[in-house]
Amino acid sequence: APPIAPMAARRSTDEMRDRVVLGEFGVRNVHTTDFPGNYPGYDDAWDQRRFEEAFRVDVIREEEDTLEFDMVGIDAAIANAFRRILLAEVPTMAVEKVFVYNNTSIVQDEILAHRLGLIPIRADPRLFEYRNQGDQEGTEIDTLQFQLKIKCKRNPQAAKESSDPDELYFNHKVYSKHMTWVPLGNQTDLFPDADFRPVHDDILIALLRPGQEIDVLMHCVKGIGKDHAKFSPVATASYRLLPDITLLQPIEDEAAETLQKCFSPGVIEIQNINGKKVARVANARLDTFSREVFRHEGLKNLVRLARVRNHYIFTVESTGILPPDVLVSEAIKILMGKCQRFLNELDSVPME
C-alpha cells in the first residue's frame, strides 16, 4: 500500500485528538487521549502555562434562573466534576422536620411532610451552619422555622346554585405562600432585612373542604443533594460538547433543501450564488445531532458530524434559591476545597 502523505497522516491524527466523530452506526474517538506519548510527534505532557493559555470560560446566556456558558480547554472528568458537585454537593436549606399539630385534610401526614420538604426555600445557605448530628432542638444558627396554619370555611355570600369551589369556600387551596417564617432566638436581630420564604408563592400543597384544617410547624436545615434530592440547588445541570458540522463538498439546489431539513432550525442556511441554491453551515451550535442526514443515501457521505472534544457547553438551571452564577462559583470553591484536602493528605502521610 502506498504510504500516507505526512500531511494527511497529521490531519487524521489531529482529528483523533480534537474531535469526537459521529458515524451512522456508533461514535469514533471517544477515549481520552491527553496523556504523554500517545501520539508520536505530539507533546501531550500537562503543562500549566499551556493550559492557562488555552483555557477559557464564555458566558453565553444569563437569565434569572438559567445560565449557559462554555468551558473550553478541559477534560471530561473535570466537566463532570462540576456537574456532579452542582447536583449533589452545593448546600441549600430545606424542610427537614415537620411537627404536625393538626391535619384533618385528606393528605396523610407523611405525604404532607414530603411535599413540604420539596418546596425550595429562599434562604441563603451561606448564612447558616450545618446542624450537628443527633441535635433534636434547632438553634438560630442552623435552623429556620416556618408555620403553616390554615382552616377552610364556607363562604356565606356564595350563590346558591354555584358549584365553583373558589366561590363556595375560603382557603380551600393551601399554597406555599401560606407558609410564614417564625424567627427562632435572636434571628430578628441576626437577619434584620431577611425575607425567608418559599421561592414560589403558588405551589399547591393540599386541597381542603369546610371544617378541614392543617396546622404544622417546620424546621429547615442546611444539607446537600447527596443526602436528599430536596437539598439539590439545581433543577438541571448538564453539559454537551460543541457540535462541529463540515460539508465535504458543495451541496446545491434540492439536495441543499433536503440537507437543511435534516438539522435543527438555524443550523444550515441556503445562499443564492449565481442563481443556484447553495447550503452552508450557519450555526452548528444549535444542532441536537439527530443524525437524520444518515437516512439520505445521497447526502450521508457529504457531511461530517463531529463534536469538539474539549469544548463543553454547560446549562445550569437553578431552583431559584441562589442565582446560577453563584452556584457555579460555589461549585468551583467546593472542588478547590477537595483538591486542597487531597494535597494536605499527601503532605501529612509519611512517604516510605
Side-chain angles (χ1 to χ4, degrees), residues 189-258:
D189 308 329
L190 277 176
F191 314 112
D193 48 1
D195 178 22
F196 298 129
R197 57 191 176 83
V199 171
H200 304 285
D201 286 338
D202 55 353
I203 299 173
L204 186 64
I205 298 170
L207 291 175
L208 302 180
R209 283 296 178 262
Q212 296 183 349
E213 63 179 299
I214 289 177
D215 179 5
V216 297
L217 207 58
M218 293 159 263
H219 281 183
C220 297
V221 301
K222 183 171 171 175
I224 57 174
K226 253 190 204 173
D227 298 325
H228 195 294
K230 68 185 174 189
F231 293 114
S232 185
V234 291
T236 58
S238 61
Y239 60 79
R240 60 194 180 101
L241 289 172
L242 178 75
D244 173 48
I245 299 167
T246 318
L247 304 182
L248 303 174
Q249 66 183 62
I251 297 176
E252 298 170 349
D253 299 331
E254 272 179 40
E257 289 182 351
T258 312

Side-chain angles (χ1 to χ4, degrees), residues 90-105:
V90 175
T92 62
M93 303 291 286
V95 174
E96 173 75 3
K97 280 200 161 66
V98 179
F99 303 94
V100 182
Y101 291 99
N102 196 358
N103 172 23
T104 51
S105 73

Side-chain angles (χ1 to χ4, degrees), residues 145-165:
Q145 187 168 261
F146 284 88
Q147 188 180 34
L148 175 62
K149 191 169 185 174
I150 191 163
K151 185 169 186 173
C152 179
K153 295 190 175 77
R154 281 189 194 282
N155 177 6
Q157 268 85 52
K160 284 276 188 289
E161 65 282 350
S162 171
S163 61
D164 178 10

